Amino acid sequence: MSFEEFLSELIKFRNYPPEEINIIEKAFNFGQKIFEGIYRKNGEPFFNHCIRTALNLSTLKMDYESICAGLLHDSLEDAGIKKEDLEKEFGKNITFLVEAVTKIGEIKYKEKNLQQAENIRRLILYIAEDLRVAILKLADRLDNMRTLQFLPKEKIQRIALETYDVYAPLALRLGLFEWASELDDLSFKYLNPEKYKEIEEEAKKRITGIIELVPEITKQLEEEIKKRNIKLYEIQYRIKRPSSIYKKLQKKGGDFDQIYDLVAFRIIVSTIDECYMVLGILHSLFKPILEEFDDYITYPKANGYQSLHTTVLIDKDKYIEFQIRTLEMHLKAERGIASYFAYADFKETKEYKKGKNLSALKDEDLRFIKELTKWKEAILNSKNPEEFLKELKTDILSEKIYVFTPKGEVIELPKGSTVLDFAYKIHSEIGHSFAGARVNNKIVPIYYEPKTGDIIEIITNKNKRPSPDWLSIVKTYNAKKHIRSYLKKFHFSEIKQNFDIKLVARDRIGLLRDISNIIASQGINIIAVKTQTKNKIAILKLTIRVTNKDEVEKLKNLLKRKIEEIIKIE
């Protein structure tokens, strides 16, 4: 692709001033030269990947520095360019972005989970400095996932799993819904190809007869909306991806008949009032499925997503979901947090001029970014990268619920949190003095997991204080941090309990000794051992004394990594 062809694609999404286009052209020519003669696994020129990464960024209307970084993002690693030379040519900001993406992926460990943990730790630290690092990394990963089939099978599985675990949820939390959906779908396609194909084929059968009705429904809606003088920008439709269908099937007990949104329309209007007017039109034309209605305008998702969702019956056994939103909501849904870099007024802020460190911004939409900056301290203080990665996935990347205080304040928590987590989310002292909880006016146990929409009241007692067993009840990093801090301050020791583990391994001399040494290295006592050997297969049943189940799982993972003879451990 020539620069002229690249530029014609670039300006479809954003008009860059001449001085910025000159720098982009310089980056294009520089990248084309340094990547000359370097090819990818599929035989194509390596620079093609850099061009596609930059064009991915252009769809989000990213600034010129991001576009340049997309063109140059592999230059330090794959083209052997020195940081000093890059900085001399393109300045500190572009060089920082290129170096950040390079350093995120440069750590190599024999233990892949440690490698992933360290890379994600770096990613979060760089995001806290400049949000564009995350968007650049996602643009890079998106193109890599689209061309993943050319890599060795083992590498495909590793990259797909990391994408599913970390990058798809990260894109979702940043509000990049289309990218998140595609990353999740491609991950599922490689991780579970047979299931993917099965769902894809079944979905195709079921949407037959619905797709044919799309033009008629679109025309009918346009006419009804026009009658009411509502400003209509656009009506779109999409077909649900197999990965999304699979997740919904899990919630619906595997029943395909309970999936009502295989086809979904987006109706984009001007104002919030018009959104609710269109909702009324839909419900007057078609029979709504009440349990499939969600109001994300009143109750936005954690990533700021807003829309009305309603599912209606359009014909016998044929359902369509409608998403109704304003143009502003739609643009935000398309570009997420990246939309801030398209706003001219944002470019005049101090935060932009300081390298887009967003931690000082007050806007509620940047709640997730503020949350990430708070993790900097946790990252720097964490001595266990695997534990950090687990907490990151729980607190930041997991699905969220939204509950209420008795005064009506909305509180966001990771799904699976307990009422004790809720208490610590309100304030550490509320958590420390937790004596009970009421959910929707009913007393619940300390381990109760609330659902979206619940109203939670915490009962406190100034004489109550945290106990070590609370650590096995809470799920969030915030709650665990405050409990551990209290226990350490007042010299509590965590309560230990007995757990049984069973190992099946190929027998050899010294097997039990090596397993025992690893367990002892973690400060864990073995209470009892039972062994049995048959046909050179050893079965070991161990009773160990630990603080909680998390400690057991960490030990299991360590044993699997260190003892290659282990076949199974449970």
Side-chain angles (χ1 to χ4, degrees):
M1 179 182 281
S2 67
F3 177 72
E4 288 70 26
E5 291 170 321
F6 173 75
L7 183 61
S8 69
E9 292 296 317
L10 197 66
I11 60 177
K12 287 179 182 178
F13 303 98
R14 176 172 175 167
N15 289 318
Y16 297 89
E19 61 272 18
E20 292 183 355
I21 289 177
N22 289 339
I23 299 171
I24 293 171
E25 184 175 12
K26 181 181 177 183
F28 186 96
N29 294 333
F30 187 87
Q32 197 170 45
K33 182 179 179 180
I34 63 173
F35 286 110
E36 188 176 358
I38 303 175
Y39 297 90
R40 303 188 86 202
K41 293 287 185 183
N42 63 355
E44 69 166 343
F46 193 95
F47 191 53
N48 287 4
H49 161 67
C50 301
I51 289 172
R52 291 194 298 267
T53 299
L55 290 176
N56 284 341
L57 292 164
S58 75
T59 64
L60 302 180
K61 298 189 177 185
M62 293 297 289
D63 63 293
Y64 83 96
E65 290 180 344
S66 298
I67 302 298
C68 291
L71 290 168
L72 301 168
H73 74 277
D74 281 320
S75 59
L76 297 177
E77 181 180 13
D78 293 289
I81 297 299
K82 292 180 180 179
K83 176 186 172 183
E84 296 77 20
D85 294 335
L86 198 65
E87 192 171 307
K88 184 179 178 181
E89 292 288 337
F90 298 99
K92 289 184 178 180
N93 285 353
I94 292 172
T95 303
F96 171 82
L97 293 173
V98 173
E99 183 185 28
V101 173
T102 302
K103 286 192 172 182
I104 288 164
E106 75 178 5
I107 298 170
K108 306 295 180 187
Y109 283 146
K110 187 176 179 181
E111 296 89 349
K112 294 300 181 185
N113 54 336
L114 285 177
Q115 179 177 315
Q116 184 195 61
E118 284 294 349
N119 284 333
I120 300 308
R121 278 157 65 111
R122 285 195 176 191
L123 174 62
I124 299 303
L125 286 171
Y126 279 120
I127 293 174
E129 291 298 316
D130 191 328
L131 173 61
R132 295 175 298 172
V133 172
I135 301 169
L136 176 56
K137 183 63 182 177
L138 288 169
D140 173 43
R141 179 54 62 102
L142 185 60
D143 187 66
N144 283 330
M145 287 299 292
R146 288 169 177 168
T147 56
L148 199 61
Q149 69 269 27
F150 300 104
L151 297 178
K153 187 176 179 180
E154 183 183 344
K155 197 168 184 180
I156 287 174
Q157 292 290 306
R158 177 177 61 78
I159 293 173
L161 184 59
E162 182 182 60
T163 301
Y164 178 80
D165 272 350
V166 177
Y167 289 104
L170 178 61
L172 188 65
R173 288 290 280 159
L174 288 171
L176 303 174
F177 300 105
E178 290 301 320
W179 285 17
S181 178
E182 186 175 353
L183 288 169
D184 187 69
D185 196 62
L186 289 168
S187 301
F188 180 51
K189 183 178 180 179
Y190 288 115
L191 293 172
N192 200 341
E194 291 181 6
K195 196 68 180 176
Y196 186 94
K197 188 176 180 180
E198 177 191 324
I199 291 172
E200 189 176 40
E201 289 175 354
E202 181 63 27
K204 280 180 182 177
K205 289 181 198 173
R206 289 174 177 265
I207 64 174
T208 302
I210 299 178
I211 294 299
E212 291 75 7
L213 294 173
V214 166
E216 180 187 334
I217 293 170
T218 302
K219 184 180 178 183
Q220 185 181 13
L221 285 171
E222 286 174 344
E223 289 173 354
E224 292 296 326
I225 290 170
K226 189 177 180 181
K227 282 180 190 177
R228 290 160 177 80
N229 295 317
I230 295 170
K231 185 168 183 178
L232 175 66
Y233 286 100
E234 192 177 4
I235 296 178
Q236 308 171 341
Y237 84 94
R238 65 102 179 108
I239 297 169
K240 199 172 186 71
R241 296 179 189 267
S243 61
S244 185
I245 296 171
Y246 176 70
K247 288 179 180 178
K248 204 151 196 177
L249 282 170
Q250 290 180 307
K251 295 177 182 177
K252 301 288 185 179
D255 186 358
F256 232 111
D257 291 333
Q258 296 296 309
I259 308 296
Y260 301 119
D261 59 342
L262 292 176
V263 177
F265 277 78
R266 290 173 184 160
I267 302 174
I268 303 161
V269 293
S270 182
T271 67
I272 291 176
D273 285 346
E274 288 176 345
C275 290
Y276 288 97
M277 288 170 68
V278 171
L279 180 68
I281 292 171
L282 284 169
H283 288 183
S284 68
L285 293 173
F286 309 107
K287 183 180 178 181
I289 311 301
L290 296 180
E291 60 268 27
E292 296 294 321
F293 173 73
D294 290 294
D295 186 344
Y296 295 120
I297 291 179
T298 304
Y299 304 111
K301 290 187 178 182
N303 46 34
Y305 175 83
Q306 288 185 288
S307 191
L308 295 176
H309 287 202
T310 185
T311 301
V312 301
L313 179 67
I314 58 164
D315 202 352
K316 185 180 179 182
D317 298 326
K318 290 182 173 64
Y319 300 90
I320 287 181
E321 181 186 73
F322 287 89
Q323 301 167 5
I324 313 160
R325 58 180 74 147
T326 66
L327 180 61
E328 183 183 355
M329 292 172 191
H330 178 67
L331 292 175
K332 191 171 176 182
E334 290 287 298
R335 301 200 296 268
I337 295 293
S339 63
Y340 283 88
F341 300 109
Y343 293 164
D345 56 346
F346 178 68
K347 293 184 73 172
E348 297 306 314
T349 64
K350 292 178 181 178
E351 288 74 22
Y352 182 95
K353 293 173 181 177
K354 287 180 180 178
K356 299 185 181 61
N357 183 324
L358 303 184
S359 60
L361 291 184
K362 304 296 183 184
D363 198 307
E364 181 66 17
D365 292 326
L366 297 178
R367 170 174 48 189
F368 171 54
I369 305 305
K370 293 179 188 177
E371 191 177 352
L372 284 175
T373 61
K374 291 177 183 177
W375 273 77
K376 285 179 71 174
E377 182 184 351
I379 292 170
L380 296 171
N381 292 335
S382 175
K383 297 177 181 178
N384 187 329
E386 290 178 277
E387 186 67 20
F388 159 77
L389 185 59
K390 181 179 177 182
E391 290 173 346
L392 172 73
K393 289 176 181 178
T394 299
D395 274 23
I396 296 183
L397 301 179
S398 65
E399 188 178 346
K400 303 298 178 184
I401 62 167
Y402 301 91
V403 294
F404 298 91
T405 67
K407 293 182 178 179
E409 181 185 356
V410 180
I411 302 295
E412 174 194 302
L413 289 167
K415 190 175 181 179
S417 297
T418 65
V419 287
L420 187 55
D421 287 292
F422 173 85
Y424 276 102
K425 179 82 174 187
I426 300 299
H427 195 279
S428 59
E429 282 305 313
I430 300 292
H432 287 342
S433 57
F434 180 94
R438 290 189 185 93
V439 175
N440 304 326
N441 291 319
K442 293 182 180 178
I443 295 289
V444 296
I446 190 172
Y447 50 80
Y448 180 84
E449 297 179 6
K451 303 180 292 296
T452 291
D454 283 346
I455 300 171
I456 305 174
E457 178 188 356
I458 300 300
I459 304 165
T460 59
N461 183 331
K462 63 181 181 180
N463 296 319
K464 290 283 288 185
R465 286 296 154 191
S467 64
D469 60 325
W470 282 14
L471 287 169
S472 62
I473 295 172
V474 295
K475 305 295 195 305
T476 60
Y477 167 77
N478 177 62
K480 287 181 179 180
K481 177 185 72 175
H482 286 300
I483 294 168
R484 285 175 180 145
S485 176
Y486 180 88
L487 296 176
K488 184 178 180 181
K489 183 177 179 180
F490 292 96
H491 306 291
F492 276 79
S493 60
E494 298 184 23
I495 297 172
K496 296 199 172 186
Q497 35 193 321
N498 291 349
F499 283 89
D500 294 325
I501 59 172
K502 177 183 175 182
L503 299 94
V504 179
R506 294 182 294 276
D507 197 21
R508 65 166 170 80
I509 296 172
L511 177 65
L512 180 59
R513 179 199 62 210
D514 291 346
I515 290 172
S516 300
N517 287 342
I518 290 171
I519 295 173
S521 73
Q522 302 303 300
I524 297 172
N525 291 328
I526 300 174
I527 306 301
V529 179
K530 291 182 181 179
T531 62
Q532 180 183 351
T533 305
K534 187 176 181 180
N535 298 326
K536 296 184 179 180
I537 296 294
I539 300 173
L540 294 81
K541 295 180 181 178
L542 309 176
T543 301
I544 57 175
R545 194 158 183 79
V546 294
T547 305
N548 52 51
K549 287 184 180 178
D550 287 348
E551 202 171 346
V552 178
E553 293 305 314
K554 282 166 58 180
L555 177 62
K556 287 180 181 178
N557 290 332
L558 182 63
L559 288 169
K560 284 179 189 175
R561 292 202 311 272
K562 298 292 187 182
I563 307 293
E564 62 182 22
E565 290 84 4
I566 289 179
I567 300 168
K568 184 171 68 172
I569 183 167
E570 56 189 36

